[in-house]
Amino acid sequence: MTKKALITGITGQDGSYLAELLLEKDYEVHGIVRRCSTFNTDRIDHIYKDPHESDNRLLLHYGDLTDGQNLTNLVLDIEPDEIYNLGAQSHVRVSFDSPAYTLQVVGAGALNVLEAARQLNKEKEVRVYQASSSEMYGDVLETPQSETTPFQPQSPYACAKVYAFHQTVNYRHAYDLFATNGILFNHESPRRGETFVTRKITRAAARIKLGTQDKLFLGNLDAKRDWGYAKDYVEGMWMMLQHDEPDDFVLATEKTHTIREFLDYSFEHLDLDWSKHVEIDPRYFRPTEVNLLLGDATKAREQLGWEAKTTCRELAQIMVDHDLELARSESTQASLN
């Protein structure tokens, strides 16, 4: 029998990779997208067919995480076997500028998903994956950080994620709902939004190589992160919902790198010296900074058999290669206009 999955945030980095993975596993995949005046489905256009085709297994529905009734209606209508809540206002720096909106989407949005799943769970078992974040650890109390490390959130985004985490555990215990938190450390890819620091770096490196950009403005270069490849991490999400019991799992590479090192990996791949192009801009510093995040993925490795496959240097090279082709395409297009 074909399994059904519902993905919020399907047009994002993780959602697009997860949709690919589930389609490869013969799932029927449903995604929720917000109604906009312009299409923002670029990341899934390559797997999205005409909805009228008989073999179409990727179906999109209009919805919004802040609209609980709409979510419940969709869940009860689709009757998914698995729900992956990946939708969010996911930019940490932006959450300081839009704290209330971030709380509504990230915190209340997760509660709306859980409540919709609870309603469906009365009729059939549904399994829920909640995208938690290493940002919840904030001003870390121990290193590395595991499933038992206390949370000390340092941003509106992180506070909202902590709320969503505890609601997921609450629904698991109170309603016997198969609800799992994946505490994912930083994971990047060529599909990462261009305002995130890793993609900002690789996009700039490619343009600088082609001579269409000269300067790159960044904030704190000494922040340390545990950077993995999103394509590896969505496999871990799926594995969590195939586990015998709902639980909480950290996914991480267990290695940390500074932003300076990511600059090294990216610019060296193109035979460039980043120090000639990078300037520090105070606007990109957070009001409260998280300086070190390093995950302990022992539990996921031992219980799920999951581990990160891609090193930080390999990840940077994958992203740079993609963005170099993109920059060449942009340059060609500009010359034709």
Side-chain angles (χ1 to χ4, degrees), residues 187-333:
H187 47 289
E188 319 295 314
S189 78
R191 299 180 193 174
R192 189 59 142 153
E194 295 183 19
T195 59
F196 290 84
V197 67
T198 51
R199 188 77 195 288
K200 191 175 177 181
I201 288 169
T202 59
R203 282 290 268 153
R207 287 169 172 159
I208 289 168
K209 181 67 175 180
L210 296 185
T212 59
Q213 182 174 330
D214 182 51
K215 294 295 183 182
L216 169 61
F217 297 92
L218 296 173
N220 180 13
L221 302 187
D222 297 316
K224 295 180 180 179
R225 293 293 184 269
D226 185 326
W227 275 308
Y229 186 18
K231 201 167 184 179
D232 295 342
Y233 284 52
V234 298
E235 187 173 7
M237 297 177 189
W238 176 79
M239 294 169 80
M240 289 181 208
L241 293 197
Q242 314 316 305
H243 196 50
D244 292 338
E245 298 291 336
D247 207 342
D248 307 317
F249 294 93
V250 164
L251 298 188
T253 68
E254 302 181 310
K255 294 181 175 62
T256 189
H257 300 270
T258 63
I259 292 174
R260 291 178 190 275
E261 288 177 280
F262 198 90
L263 281 164
D264 286 338
Y265 301 151
S266 301
F267 278 73
E268 283 175 4
H269 191 52
L270 297 175
D271 297 317
L272 295 170
D273 179 357
W274 65 262
S275 66
K276 296 178 180 178
H277 302 280
V278 173
E279 294 187 9
I280 303 303
D281 188 333
R283 290 179 301 170
Y284 295 114
F285 283 84
R286 301 178 186 178
T288 50
E289 184 59 77
V290 175
N291 290 309
L292 170 63
L293 291 173
L294 173 62
D296 178 356
T298 301
K299 185 176 176 181
R301 187 167 53 251
E302 293 180 349
Q303 295 191 22
L304 303 177
W306 179 91
E307 59 183 345
K309 303 169 186 173
T310 310
T311 68
C312 187
R313 182 185 291 274
E314 290 168 341
L315 171 63
Q317 292 172 353
I318 289 169
M319 294 173 67
V320 167
D321 287 341
H322 172 275
D323 285 339
L324 186 59
E325 288 303 310
L326 183 58
R328 283 175 177 149
S329 177
E330 288 174 340
S331 183
T332 300
Q333 189 64 38

Side-chain angles (χ1 to χ4, degrees), residues 55-79:
D55 64 340
N56 181 48
R57 290 186 291 111
L58 175 57
L59 303 163
L60 301 181
H61 309 266
Y62 287 124
D64 194 299
L65 284 170
T66 62
D67 186 344
Q69 187 59 59
N70 169 256
L71 276 177
T72 297
N73 292 343
L74 282 171
V75 167
L76 294 179
D77 184 46
I78 296 166
E79 295 187 335

Side-chain angles (χ1 to χ4, degrees), residues 33-96:
V33 296
R34 284 177 296 169
R35 181 71 178 94
C36 299
S37 58
T38 57
F39 290 108
N40 63 341
T41 58
D42 294 355
R43 295 184 180 97
I44 59 171
D45 282 346
H46 64 291
I47 55 175
Y48 186 57
K49 298 181 179 180
D50 185 325
H52 300 295
E53 290 186 19
S54 59
D55 64 340
N56 181 48
R57 290 186 291 111
L58 175 57
L59 303 163
L60 301 181
H61 309 266
Y62 287 124
D64 194 299
L65 284 170
T66 62
D67 186 344
Q69 187 59 59
N70 169 256
L71 276 177
T72 297
N73 292 343
L74 282 171
V75 167
L76 294 179
D77 184 46
I78 296 166
E79 295 187 335
D81 301 285
E82 299 170 3
I83 300 174
Y84 296 86
N85 183 31
L86 311 184
Q89 188 300 99
S90 58
H91 200 289
V92 177
R93 179 63 189 84
V94 170
S95 77
F96 286 98

